């Protein structure tokens, strides 16, 4: 069999709702709202331009049930463009668009060989593309919480063909992800397929065991919020006559999210922050080309500007947003500023008291360690902090969400910041 080309995409989340961005009156809401559609159009254009033989979408084409029929109609239009160019399409449902979540439905175009685009949720669906020498093995989610081992049901490979597995899975042992259809890379490798097209994890990556088939997450095709930063797109898979693959990433996103994470400890004037942000922004613009760049600024480290920035946080954010507009060539929008700096502390004084195992500073540090531990009384802590949060003036609280005490990382972050602030004040630190 001669050369074949496959486009592997996943997690399109078509018409996914904005996440907090519409809370800002100057946000480019329409451009961001349309981003998933434009990225899907880019995917279709790429498949046609690259003369792809097969497009695979490994789950979460939709973000859930449609608010109206336009979401479904948009995909029907793109799928029709593909099959009209003799491109096969194979789609499985994931946890966001599982069969039991979708009450809306529209007839989809048929593949060039007359088969359905959408793979079954009742069993592992096998599609044999004889003219391409490809066998597709895939199964849609019947329900959102598919927590069983779906991979175990996948059959062995078909001899003499390129065997392609499609699965929406969190894999086993990947932190921070729901354990949907858990399985291990070794388990997938043991199937003897030639390529695994995975979805669900929005971060692109491979989990291949040496000498076995590539196990690939393509990531989502468009970031949806600041935590989904960097280029997003699809994988083009070139298959040779020996069923060996060459893979390359192609970005499809139209909005790029990036964070300027700066240690402010060396700065003594706000102008230094503005200069550093402008230089970083210009570097990012070189990389994003004509995309919209959505930025977040996070300031950390012990800084002599800490108290000033905390008092003037709204004004500082406005200045950074103005810099984004002035120097961003119409392509940059600042999503948010987070001031996580702390006041300067005389640590030698603290360490001396800590070494003596006595004095008020040591007592404070002991309490801090207890609050940070897994045994902390979170109910008591929440009761103590909640009334204080309600009393904060808007220039301090801004639009920030309440402290999530049940999140250990966030709890530690807030406690560390408060501890540093308290020690600085006790030691007569600068205000």
């Amino acid at each position: 069999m001669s050369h074949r080309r496959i486009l592997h995409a996943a997690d399109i989340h078509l018409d996914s709702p904005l996440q907090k961005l519409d809370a800002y009156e100057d946000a480019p809401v329409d451009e961001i709202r349309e981003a998933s559609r434009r990225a899907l159009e880019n995917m279709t254009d790429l498949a046609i331009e690259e003369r792809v033989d097969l497009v695979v979408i490994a789950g979460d084409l939709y973000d859930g049930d449609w608010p109206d029929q336009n979401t479904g109609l948009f995909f029907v239009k793109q799928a029709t463009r593909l099959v009209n160019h003799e491109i096969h399409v194979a789609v499985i449902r994931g946890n966001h668009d599982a069969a039991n979540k979708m009450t809306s439905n529209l007839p989809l175009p048929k593949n060039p060989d007359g088969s359905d685009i959408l793979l079954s949720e009742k069993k592992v669906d096998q599609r044999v593309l004889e003219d391409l020498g490809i066998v597709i093995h895939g199964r849609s989610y019947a329900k959102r919480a598919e927590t069983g081992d779906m991979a175990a049901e996948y059959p062995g490979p078909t001899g003499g063909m390129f065997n392609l597995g499609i699965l929406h899975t969190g894999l086993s042992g990947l932190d921070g992800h729901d354990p949907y259809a858990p399985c291990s890379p070794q388990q997938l490798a043991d199937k003897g397929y030639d390529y695994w097209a995975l979805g669900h994890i929005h971060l692109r990556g491979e989990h291949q065991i040496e000498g076995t088939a590539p196990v690939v997450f393509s990531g989502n095709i468009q970031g949806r919020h600041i935590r989904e930063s960097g280029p997003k797109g699809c994988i083009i898979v070139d298959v040779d006559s020996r069923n060996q693959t060459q893979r390359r990433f192609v970005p499809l996103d139209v909005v790029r999210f990036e964070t300027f994470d700066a240690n402010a400890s060396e700065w003594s004037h706000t102008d230094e922050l503005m200069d550093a942000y402008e230089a970083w922004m210009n570097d990012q613009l070189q990389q994003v080309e004509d995309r919209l760049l959505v930025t977040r600024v996070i300031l950390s480290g012990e800084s002599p500007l800490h108290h000033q920035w905390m008092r003037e946080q709204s004004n500082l954010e406005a200045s950074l947003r103005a810099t984004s507009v002035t120097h961003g060539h119409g392509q940059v929008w600042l999503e948010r500023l987070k001031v996580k700096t702390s006041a300067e502390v005389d640590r030698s004084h603290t360490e001396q008291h800590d070494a003596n195992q006595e004095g008020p500073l040591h007592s404070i540090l002991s309490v801090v360690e207890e609050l940070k531990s897994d045994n902390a009384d979170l109910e008591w802590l929440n009761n103590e902090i909640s009334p204080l949060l309600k009393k904060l003036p808007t220039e301090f609280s801004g639009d920030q969400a309440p402290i999530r005490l049940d999140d250990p990382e966030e709890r530690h972050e807030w406690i560390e910041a408060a501890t540093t602030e308290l020690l600085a004040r006790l030691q007569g630190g600068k205000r």
Side-chain angles (χ1 to χ4, degrees):
M1 183 63 62
S2 60
H3 172 269
R4 292 142 290 170
R5 180 166 288 168
I6 300 168
L7 187 154
H8 165 202
D11 300 287
I12 291 166
H13 294 278
L14 190 61
D15 288 348
S16 173
L18 296 176
Q19 298 196 11
K20 299 182 181 179
L21 295 181
D22 52 354
Y24 303 88
E25 62 181 25
D26 61 339
V29 173
D30 291 338
E31 192 169 353
I32 296 172
R33 182 182 290 121
E34 289 287 312
S36 63
R37 291 195 179 200
R38 302 290 78 80
L40 182 58
E41 279 185 326
N42 287 345
M43 187 199 79
T44 304
D45 292 342
L46 177 68
I48 294 169
E49 292 166 5
E50 293 269 358
R51 299 183 181 275
V52 161
D53 298 297
L54 169 65
V55 168
V56 170
I57 300 175
D60 288 354
L61 165 62
Y62 302 113
D63 197 56
D65 221 355
W66 315 324
D68 56 55
Q69 297 295 307
N70 289 325
T71 301
L73 285 169
F74 189 84
F75 175 68
V76 169
K77 179 180 179 181
Q78 302 309 310
T80 300
R81 289 179 62 202
L82 291 170
V83 297
N84 284 347
H85 281 83
E86 298 297 312
I87 298 172
H88 288 76
V89 182
V91 179
I92 62 171
R93 299 181 188 271
N95 54 295
H96 278 270
D97 56 0
N100 73 334
K101 288 198 68 177
M102 304 297 294
T103 60
S104 300
N105 202 5
L106 287 173
L108 295 170
K110 297 288 186 179
N111 273 311
D113 63 358
S115 64
D116 291 334
I117 286 175
L118 189 61
L119 273 61
S120 174
E121 75 276 4
K122 296 181 173 62
K123 60 180 179 60
V124 178
D125 207 342
Q126 286 186 287
R127 302 290 177 82
V128 180
L129 308 181
E130 289 283 1
D131 56 332
L132 296 175
I134 296 175
V135 178
I136 301 169
H137 311 271
R139 181 177 177 178
S140 291
Y141 276 31
K143 58 184 185 298
R144 176 184 175 90
E146 288 283 8
T147 56
D149 183 0
M150 293 179 68
E153 304 171 13
Y154 279 58
T158 300
M161 305 283 276
F162 181 84
N163 286 265
L164 169 66
I166 314 175
L167 183 62
H168 197 77
T169 175
L171 281 185
S172 300
L174 293 185
D175 294 336
H177 298 281
D178 294 319
Y180 294 135
C183 57
S184 68
Q186 184 64 60
Q187 185 180 358
L188 298 182
D190 289 344
K191 290 294 178 181
Y193 293 178
D194 299 290
Y195 185 89
W196 278 98
L198 304 186
H200 183 57
I201 306 299
H202 289 190
L203 184 64
R204 183 175 72 257
E206 294 196 11
H207 300 267
Q208 181 179 8
I209 296 173
E210 187 174 357
T212 65
V215 176
V216 182
F217 285 105
S218 63
N220 50 345
I221 68 171
Q222 171 60 62
R224 299 182 298 160
H225 47 73
I226 199 68
R227 294 185 304 280
E228 295 182 346
S229 61
K232 299 292 183 178
C234 66
I235 307 295
I236 295 291
V237 184
D238 287 297
V239 184
D240 66 19
S241 59
R242 298 177 295 114
N243 288 337
Q244 299 296 305
T245 63
Q246 294 290 327
R247 305 170 297 283
R248 55 190 166 94
F249 168 75
V250 180
L252 300 170
D253 53 345
V254 297
V255 178
R256 185 73 54 81
F257 294 87
E258 295 289 358
T259 298
F260 178 55
D261 202 339
N263 186 329
S265 59
E266 300 299 321
W267 297 334
S268 58
H269 197 282
T270 300
D271 285 348
E272 294 175 275
L273 161 62
M274 295 302 171
D275 291 343
Y277 175 64
E278 182 183 342
W280 173 85
M281 183 174 60
N282 288 332
D283 180 62
Q284 293 298 315
L285 285 171
Q286 297 295 317
Q287 300 177 46
V288 303
E289 297 176 337
D290 60 348
R291 297 172 177 84
L292 171 67
L293 175 63
V294 176
T295 67
R296 174 179 287 187
V297 174
I298 299 177
L299 304 177
S300 58
E302 292 184 11
S303 171
L305 299 167
H306 169 71
H307 293 291
Q308 176 188 336
W309 285 347
M310 291 300 292
R311 286 194 306 269
E312 303 172 358
Q313 189 164 339
S314 295
N315 291 336
L316 183 60
E317 182 171 272
S319 296
L320 286 164
R321 189 161 284 135
T323 297
S324 302
V325 172
T326 304
H327 301 284
H329 312 293
Q331 280 184 251
V332 184
W333 181 70
L334 176 74
E335 174 255 1
R336 183 177 175 187
L337 163 69
K338 294 187 72 173
V339 179
K340 297 167 61 176
T341 54
S342 57
E344 294 176 303
V345 175
D346 182 355
R347 297 201 175 277
S348 62
H349 188 55
T350 304
E351 290 166 2
Q352 179 181 354
H353 277 265
D354 187 48
N356 294 335
Q357 295 290 298
E358 60 184 18
L361 296 184
H362 174 70
S363 298
I364 290 171
L365 295 176
S366 296
V367 172
V368 167
E369 291 306 312
E370 176 64 25
L371 291 175
K372 288 163 59 179
S373 74
D374 293 336
N375 299 321
D377 187 341
L378 299 185
E379 183 177 357
W380 172 84
L381 195 56
N382 187 62
N383 290 338
E384 291 292 319
I385 291 177
S386 294
L388 298 176
L389 289 174
K390 295 177 182 178
K391 296 179 181 179
L392 279 176
T394 55
E395 61 264 29
F396 282 92
S397 59
D399 66 332
Q400 296 184 24
I403 302 171
R404 294 181 300 167
L405 296 175
D406 57 340
D407 183 333
E409 183 177 351
E410 186 166 335
R411 185 170 77 248
H412 289 190
E413 180 182 300
W414 277 92
I415 291 172
E416 285 286 359
T419 303
T420 305
E421 178 79 9
L422 177 58
L423 292 174
R425 289 177 178 270
L426 288 174
Q427 296 171 6
K430 295 178 182 178
R431 294 174 174 78

